[in-house]
Amino acid sequence: MIETRLGEFEEVILLLVGILGEDAYAFKIAEEFESQTGRSVSIGAVHSTLDRLEGKGFLSSAMGNATAERGGRRKRIFTITALGKRVLKESMDFKVSLWKQYPAFAGKFNYGVS
Amino acid sequence: MLKQPKLIPPRFATRLLLYFLRDDLSEEVIGDLEEKFYVTARTISASQARLNYWYQVLHYMRPFAIRKRSRTNSNHYDMFRNYFKVSFRNLVSNKGYSFINIGGLAVGMAVAMLIGLWVYDELSYDRYFQNYDRVVQVMQHQTFNGVKGSQTAMPLPLEAALRDEYGADFKYIAIGRWPDGHILSRGDVKISKDGNFFQGDFPEIFSLKMLKGTRSAFKDPSAILLAQSTAEALFGKDDPLNQSIILDSDINVKVVGVYEDLPANTTHTDLKFIANWELASAHSPWIKRAATQWGNNSFQLYAELAPGADLQTVSEKIKKIKQDHAERERQFSPEVFLHPMRDWHLYSEWKDGKQSGGRIQMVWLFGIIGVFVLLLACINFMNLSTARSEKRAKEVGIRMTIGSMRKQLISQFLSESFLIVFLSFIIAAGIVAIALPWFNTLADKSIVIHWLNPVFWIVSLCFIIVTSLLAGSYPALYLSSFQPVKVLKGTFKSGRLASVPRKVLVVVQFTVSVILIIGTIIVYKQIQFTKDRPVGYNREGLVMIQMKTTEFFGKFDVLRNELKNTGAITEMAQSSSPMTNIWSNSGGFDWKGKDPDLQTDFGTIWITHEYGKTVGWKVKEGRDFSREFSTDSSSIILNEAAVKFMNIKEPIGMEVNWDGNKYTVIGVVEDLLVQSPYRPVKQSVYLLGYNGVEWIDLRLNPEKSASECIGLIESVFKRNTPSAPFEYKFVDEAYDDKFKAEERIGKLTTVFSVLAIIISCLGIFGLASFVAEQRTKEIGVRKVLGASVLSLWKMLSKDFVILVVISCFFAIPIACYFLLQWLEGYKYHTQISWWVPAAAGMGALIITLATVSYQAIRAALMSPSKSLKTE
């Protein structure tokens, strides 16, 4: 069985990888996380999550190009796999279905989700 | 170009990161962190950037990022497996050496473990009591004729004075008498148990574990607490609580509780019942009188300090309490002080008012012996490994050329020693488990091993590691220091110098062994010396019976006549003290010509007319008590020590005043040795008295067997004193009990020195066989050239003999120094005569020769054609 459950932090990181696209490497993702959520996070924590997500098959990675500000070192660029995308979607669907069952909000949302 | 120092991330943080980080991650991670560093430096500040860099580095300490041990150490695993395999093969292929190594080490470890258990038991003495840190015994120093002595015997009024004046410093105080045999009876069941009288708070101070009843119920003035064993003996399965029993045939007491028997390693372990103090004072008029007598030191006093009270401070506060209350006692300058429970067992001796050790010296002595025996076994291991190093030199050389680092070789040999130590430990644990009951009897202990206690295993593990380091360090360092080129070329030969450390170690071994031999002989000599000391009376066939109940009183003539008629005894007498002690000491004697500064202190013993005849004392001057002189009720007999103490020339006919009475000295007897055989005999006076005597002394009829006599005596006592169980002691046996402590030391040191010698011999046996093997060819050549077996034997034995002789030179002065100190502690002690060290040295030499000769002769007898054929 494939591990499909996503933690909140994992889900955010996964989404950030998708948002950043070509620029999705640990440092950038951490910066983006801080600016989007306002919460501080260490690069190590982000890296550890990326590593875990890659282990689950939601991400793949490859060494990218080097830049001067990092002493000519290459960076590891992460990309979402098809499985990763499906898991994200399932996660959202699940939550929306829950939202719909919640009487206080039922019917007030319309995201155009089929 | 660059004026200011170049801004770079903290170097040390990077080094740290690289140390723990997985290698494949280093590029991307350092890249990321550096980027972060420069961004922070640009946007905030350089110092913030540095701080943040550290923060990021520390946050990379996550399982996923840390170097995997298994990945990098997989090689080490194989390597260690190889080490153990090689070690094991070595052990199997050299069975003789392995046996000597493992066997010797196991015996050494077993001895060290037993001693370790013993030391632990000694150090944990009295820890059974919950208030271990706050319980104290009140003691006093007093000065008699310039000698400052210390004692636990205290005056009764001190208890009330402490309560009234220093009550805030003590939580509980309890005064008591001395433990003594008493008779407890319930209906027809009569048992004799050791017990004592204490005030109500005693159970609280000693935190007795109550199995039935409560501690507070003991405050009842007619209460008695029974130890579990006593309760079972008296009540069997019945419930003892609130039952009435009779103490010493006439005191009615109520059982208010049962406490768990105090374990063997506690001070009051013999206390089998505790009766309330009020019972003692109500039934003994002398105790009532003692309530105001500050000079009557006849009681023991225990207390528990109040929380927060400091021992030293309180001790200092109460120092002068006796002097303040009792003017007459000031001449002895009594100083009251507190002796804490933690020191009761190990530090119980005083000299001139200062603590001077006690049993702690034994603990040190045996601890040191244990360490030395273990050291001997380790030395064997070191010697045999280095001696055989040439055999393994090739292995070391090849390992080195293949690329072994020195560190790895060291770890190889350490793992080898670990294996051997571990095997030895298993055997040693087996030996300890088997030998423990025997050791317990020998040492008079009840030690158990806590197999399931994690502390035991932690200590054992540390023990294994320390021993393997101790035994393996020298061979490991030595063997790993070979130069591979020389070894493999075959030019490697350990020169003359290589065997020097080995010889030093053998000398150390034999020094220790010879010291132990001398020690053992001296301990036994000392015991024999004191046993042979003249006692001044005839111990054999002398029986004493304590008159524990009032039923005995007033029956002197009846008993004497009946016993004599049965023919079981030749004479009977009664006395106030047993034949093995003096129970009563008194001062206040006066005589003509007495030095006014002399503080008198005499053992005072009340006896009946035939006492002298019964015990067989020797009258030196004057005469014994006699029924023919009615004036003898105011006569007195002195012992020789008393004459010397009083410093008088013609004692016979002298008048002595004591307690308002006049006594005439009618005789002087030879000193009767009834107290410690190691101390001088106490100056004593003997008075006639048929009241206040507590012991019956019987001289058995020598024409009948002892068992026959005892049977006859028992029937007489059964008839006349039915309420008391018939209990008797042979004086010679009771006297021998006084040597128990010393005999125990003697037996233990014997066992340990025998083991030490065996271990040392195993070592030289191994070395000798190695030397013989190494010199096979030389011996062959010598034989061809005409050497006799005798000359070869001489040649091979000489080396070892020289070593033993050198050891003797070290051992004898060391042993003499320490043993003289030990003997100084005894007033009556033997001398270290010249033959003792000589015998020890000769003994060691003979044992060595016997051990070495076996190998030497075997090598010398080998046919040269065979030995020259090898290789």
Side-chain angles (χ1 to χ4, degrees), chain B residues 588-603:
Chain B
F589 286 83
D590 199 13
W591 60 89
K592 211 174 137 198
K594 172 181 174 273
D595 177 353
D597 292 336
L598 188 71
Q599 289 156 336
T600 58
D601 174 32
F602 286 89

Side-chain angles (χ1 to χ4, degrees), chain A residues 25-27 31 42-45 47-48 51 69-71 73-74 76, chain B residues 27-36 38 55-56 59-60 62 64:
Chain A
Y25 61 100
F27 164 64
E31 294 274 279
S42 75
I43 302 173
H47 199 155
S48 143
D51 190 75
E69 69 241 302
R70 37 194 293 131
R73 293 186 186 84
R74 289 177 301 162
R76 183 175 293 276
Chain B
E27 186 177 355
E28 52 189 286
V29 170
I30 293 180
D32 281 359
L33 294 196
E34 211 161 284
E35 215 178 320
K36 171 84 183 168
Y38 288 119
Y55 168 80
Q56 300 292 359
H59 270 254
Y60 256 102
R62 288 159 191 283
F64 91 98

Side-chain angles (χ1 to χ4, degrees), chain B residues 75-181:
Chain B
N75 209 14
H76 283 218
Y77 171 71
D78 284 341
M79 215 54 221
F80 273 111
R81 223 173 52 170
N82 177 269
Y83 292 163
F84 280 118
K85 193 181 275 175
V86 171
S87 318
F88 195 70
R89 283 178 185 162
N90 257 313
L91 287 182
V92 174
S93 67
N94 298 299
K95 288 197 186 67
Y97 295 117
S98 312
F99 172 75
I100 292 174
N101 252 342
I102 297 179
L105 208 51
V107 172
M109 285 176 101
V111 170
M113 280 162 79
L114 282 176
I115 292 181
L117 287 170
W118 185 84
V119 168
Y120 175 78
D121 186 77
E122 287 289 312
L123 296 182
S124 61
Y125 212 84
D126 279 338
R127 288 199 187 263
Y128 171 81
F129 301 119
Q130 276 164 18
N131 305 317
Y132 179 78
D133 293 324
R134 280 186 290 133
V135 178
V136 293
Q137 179 165 26
V138 184
M139 290 182 64
Q140 60 177 336
H141 304 300
Q142 289 196 105
T143 310
F144 280 100
N145 298 322
V147 181
K148 197 170 181 182
S150 309
Q151 61 186 60
T152 53
M154 307 302 287
L156 185 50
L158 180 66
E159 178 258 335
L162 282 179
R163 265 185 220 277
D164 293 347
E165 291 158 41
Y166 301 98
D169 291 319
F170 298 99
K171 193 171 172 193
Y172 300 114
I173 296 177
I175 201 158
R177 291 181 61 178
W178 303 96
D180 197 3

Side-chain angles (χ1 to χ4, degrees), chain B residues 198-214:
Chain B
F198 275 107
Q199 283 180 324
D201 286 332
F202 184 84
E204 294 292 344
I205 296 177
F206 286 89
S207 60
L208 298 178
K209 284 197 183 126
M210 301 304 296
L211 302 173
K212 284 187 182 119
T214 57

